[in-house]
Amino acid sequence: MNHTLLGLIYFIAFSHSLMLAVALWRKSPKQGSGRWLAILALVVSYKLFEGGALYSGLYTSLAHSMDLLPGEILVIGPLLYIYSLVVVGKRPDKKVLLSLHFIPALAIWLYNSPAVFRGTDAKIAMWQGVAASSGGGSLPLYLVILLLGMKVHLSVYLYLSWREIQVFEHVSANLRSDNSQQVLANIRNLVSAFFVLEMIWVGLFVGQQYFGLDSLTKVGEIWLLLVAALMLGIGYMGLQKPDLIFTKEEYTLAQSRTDNSQQNANNIKYFHSALPEEAAELLAKELEHNLQLKQLYLDEKLSLTDLAKATGIKAHTLSQVINLTMKTSFYKLINTYRIQHAIELIDNPALNWTLERIAYESGFSNRVTFSKAFKEVMQCTPSAYKKEKLRVS
């Protein structure tokens, strides 16, 4: 690929990554999960900046700002893992425990500090060598071990992040009535894709070092773009809910699930024995009465714990009633009421509201979530329902 064009692509990706980092930081609360993704996006933006400077030839003018973050791969894994811990409510209270995750990155940075602080001319010479290199050839054994060790380090953190997110993806339908489950599912898929991409790199690297293959060389110029696309995808998903944090009470409820082999978000292991059937049915009727009378479902941030406080029913008991007696999940129950409310608004001839407004007035945070929930309940989209209602009228 033409290096000038490639440099331009890198700079465009750099600008988007930087804007994402700023957006995540500004939209996230002070202790919000999105701020960890903002730092991650900032790290990615710096590496994209380096790529743009290298392939455009501007490194000769920007040499003083190059090579300031060696071993960035050792930062990416911990940042993503800490984000997942914050999301699920497991963030350690002591900052020193968080800082331990960055010791390998700090060690590599200190080891490379002479190169970080070298003179401008020396940096230019180094980057000229990188630009002239084809990327092929065998590396010393110690360097091979170091690079593979970095990939193993990242892969371990990717797995740990995937595991934390997967657990809460499965139980979030019983804890939240918003789009948390979909956001977590998308992030989990992107983390999985990131892991696969790293395994492909390891395979190509080993093939190049010991079997004479040059596949890694051929894709080396765009590899950072592929990695950046996945990490920025995770950041973009996080931007959909930059305040996504499960409370300690929700974490306790999530951990009380049945064993993971059942893989069913409706199967929750409750702290106490099952309620008598008559008592459960009475609580179900009381819950329905409260939902209808107080219209609690109109709160777009309504959670199981919020509903427990509003109804005076303990959260684990409430979850048991919804799952076992009402035969549904918290997410589906609340969205059913929201859809019923939306239908009333659509059917009202005195109102001529847009579907976006109807979605917000019915307790949905956005049109996409509204359309998905509407189709699940009514087997058609809200726009199709509205058109048919107008046609019949």
Side-chain angles (χ1 to χ4, degrees):
M1 181 182 292
N2 181 281
H3 278 190
T4 301
L5 175 61
L6 187 60
L8 178 61
I9 294 173
Y10 267 95
F11 275 128
I12 292 174
F14 157 70
S15 65
H16 282 72
S17 179
L18 190 59
M19 287 188 291
L20 178 62
V22 172
L24 280 165
W25 189 269
R26 294 185 63 181
K27 287 182 176 293
S28 300
K30 188 174 181 180
Q31 301 297 327
S33 58
R35 293 208 164 181
W36 290 99
L37 289 183
I39 299 173
L40 178 61
L42 196 61
V43 172
V44 174
S45 68
Y46 176 73
K47 301 311 294 183
L48 290 170
F49 164 79
E50 279 191 339
L54 173 64
Y55 292 115
S56 66
L58 292 176
Y59 62 88
T60 55
S61 302
L62 301 170
H64 59 283
S65 60
M66 303 281 283
D67 202 32
L68 300 179
L69 191 61
E72 76 287 344
I73 193 173
L74 298 176
V75 176
I76 291 171
L79 284 174
L80 189 57
Y81 178 56
I82 293 173
Y83 166 75
S84 67
L85 290 181
V86 173
V87 165
V88 303
K90 290 176 62 176
R91 178 178 179 176
D93 294 330
K94 296 182 179 180
K95 293 183 179 179
V96 65
L97 296 178
L98 293 179
S99 64
L100 293 177
H101 293 284
F102 299 98
I103 288 179
L106 179 61
I108 291 294
W109 191 90
L110 291 174
Y111 178 79
N112 287 277
S113 58
V116 173
F117 296 109
R118 73 177 72 180
T120 300
D121 291 339
K123 281 193 174 184
I124 291 175
M126 188 274 290
W127 283 102
Q128 284 176 336
V130 173
S133 174
S134 63
S138 298
L139 298 175
L141 180 60
Y142 82 91
L143 194 53
V144 172
I145 294 174
L146 178 62
L147 290 173
L148 291 179
M150 287 181 172
K151 293 297 182 180
V152 170
H153 177 274
L154 175 59
S155 298
V156 169
Y157 274 104
L158 287 176
Y159 168 72
L160 293 174
S161 303
W162 176 86
R163 187 180 64 179
E164 296 292 346
I165 292 170
Q166 183 193 40
V167 169
F168 272 77
E169 177 204 343
H170 288 309
V171 300
S172 59
N174 283 313
L175 299 174
R176 298 287 180 93
S177 63
D178 55 16
N179 63 334
S180 296
Q181 185 178 31
Q182 188 58 50
V183 169
L184 290 174
N186 290 335
I187 292 177
R188 177 183 58 80
N189 290 335
L190 287 168
V191 171
S192 299
F194 194 2
F195 180 85
V196 171
L197 191 66
E198 288 303 301
M199 292 302 99
I200 292 174
W201 187 93
V202 170
L204 295 176
F205 178 74
V206 172
Q208 180 167 288
Q209 290 299 308
Y210 300 107
F211 299 101
L213 303 177
D214 62 349
S215 302
L216 185 58
T217 301
K218 292 179 180 178
V219 299
E221 293 179 345
I222 64 169
W223 194 263
L224 178 57
L225 290 174
L226 298 176
V227 172
L230 289 175
M231 286 190 286
L232 295 182
I234 293 172
Y236 176 75
M237 287 299 109
L239 189 59
Q240 309 307 302
K241 287 195 72 64
D243 59 345
L244 178 57
I245 297 179
F246 288 89
T247 65
K248 290 183 178 180
E249 187 176 1
E250 288 176 317
Y251 176 75
T252 302
L253 288 168
Q255 295 306 306
S256 68
R257 297 184 315 139
T258 51
D259 59 86
N260 293 334
S261 62
Q262 294 183 21
Q263 296 297 310
N264 189 330
N266 287 335
N267 291 332
I268 294 183
K269 180 181 177 181
Y270 301 98
F271 297 124
H272 304 289
S273 58
L275 285 171
E277 186 176 346
E278 291 184 2
E281 290 178 354
L282 287 174
L283 286 174
K285 290 179 180 179
E286 181 183 346
L287 174 58
E288 291 176 339
H289 176 74
N290 276 286
L291 284 170
Q292 293 172 347
L293 181 65
K294 300 178 182 179
Q295 293 188 316
L296 299 171
Y297 51 85
L298 295 183
D299 179 5
E300 67 178 50
K301 295 183 178 180
L302 184 68
S303 66
L304 179 70
T305 53
D306 293 333
L307 185 59
K309 292 174 184 177
T311 58
I313 305 172
K314 292 182 179 180
H316 63 83
T317 303
L318 190 60
S319 183
Q320 181 178 348
V321 169
I322 293 172
N323 295 160
L324 302 182
T325 304
M326 304 178 77
K327 307 296 184 183
T328 187
S329 68
F330 174 72
Y331 175 83
K332 290 182 178 179
L333 174 67
I334 300 304
N335 279 341
T336 298
Y337 279 98
R338 288 172 174 169
I339 296 303
Q340 290 172 356
H341 186 82
I343 290 174
E344 291 175 3
L345 296 179
I346 295 174
D347 291 347
N348 191 338
L351 300 177
N352 190 25
W353 290 350
T354 64
L355 290 176
E356 284 79 7
R357 180 174 180 182
I358 289 173
Y360 294 132
E361 294 288 344
S362 302
F364 291 97
S365 58
N366 57 68
R367 170 77 180 272
V368 175
T369 306
F370 169 55
S371 297
K372 181 180 178 182
F374 195 99
K375 192 170 184 179
E376 288 177 353
V377 175
M378 302 299 295
Q379 285 73 54
C380 68
T381 63
S383 56
Y385 178 87
K386 188 175 183 180
K387 287 179 181 179
E388 179 63 19
K389 195 69 181 179
L390 290 173
R391 187 188 68 80
V392 173
S393 299

